[in-house]
Amino acid sequence: MGDTTSNDGQSVAEWINSPELKQLRKAWLQNEMLEKAQDDAWWDSLNDDAKSQAFRQITKLIHKADVQDRGSYRYAMYDIFGLGYGDGLTYYMQLHNLIHQGLEAEQKLCKKDDTDERNDDTCDLP
C-alpha cells in the first residue's frame, strides 16, 4: 500500500483537513466565483451580434479540436484555443468527454449498421 504520511509525519487525513489546505480550498472557490461573475458580466455586456460571433467562433474551434481532429483536451486548450492550462477547464473537460463518448458510440453503431454494403455516406464521420 502507498505511503500515507508526509515528510513531516502528517497523515494524509491530517493534511487534507489541515487549516492550510482548507484556506487554499476557500481561496480557490472564491476565485472560481469571481471568474464566473466576471464571465457572466462580460457576456451580458455583449450585444446580440457580438454574442453570435463569440458563439460561432467557440463552437467552430470546439468542432475542429474534438470532432474533426479528435484531439485531446490539451490539444484543444493549447493548440486550438491558444490558452493556458486551467482556463475554462472545469466545463470544457465535461464537454470534451461527452463529445468523444458520443463520437465513439456513433462510430460503433456505424460499423454495426454498415454491413449491408450500401454505397452511401450515412456513416462517414468528419
Side-chain angles (χ1 to χ4, degrees):
M1 192 112 168
D3 187 9
T4 59
T5 59
S6 65
N7 289 341
D8 63 2
Q10 190 178 37
S11 73
V12 172
E14 290 170 330
W15 177 75
I16 288 174
N17 294 308
S18 69
E20 296 85 6
L21 196 55
K22 285 181 182 180
Q23 184 178 2
L24 180 61
R25 282 193 296 266
K26 183 179 177 183
W28 187 275
L29 181 60
Q30 288 173 336
N31 186 60
E32 280 187 336
M33 291 171 58
L34 177 62
E35 279 185 349
K36 286 178 186 180
Q38 290 171 336
D39 291 347
D40 289 344
W42 168 77
W43 183 258
D44 292 342
S45 74
L46 298 176
N47 64 31
D48 289 344
D49 289 339
K51 285 181 181 179
S52 293
Q53 185 178 14
F55 181 76
R56 284 191 312 270
Q57 182 64 13
I58 290 166
T59 55
K60 179 179 74 174
L61 294 174
I62 289 173
H63 183 267
K64 177 174 179 24
D66 286 330
V67 178
Q68 291 177 328
D69 297 351
R70 304 282 174 104
S72 68
Y73 76 91
R74 284 187 177 99
Y75 169 75
M77 297 291 291
Y78 302 144
D79 298 329
I80 300 299
F81 282 94
L83 298 173
Y85 188 82
D87 290 329
L89 190 58
T90 302
Y91 299 109
Y92 179 67
M93 281 295 296
Q94 292 174 346
L95 183 59
H96 168 82
N97 290 336
L98 287 170
I99 289 170
H100 279 267
Q101 289 170 3
L103 290 171
E104 288 173 4
E106 183 179 38
Q107 205 167 29
K108 287 178 186 175
L109 284 174
C110 284
K111 285 181 183 176
K112 179 180 154 190
D113 290 342
D114 207 19
T115 58
D116 62 2
E117 299 180 13
R118 289 176 292 155
N119 192 17
D120 62 17
D121 62 356
T122 55
C123 284
D124 288 343
L125 300 173

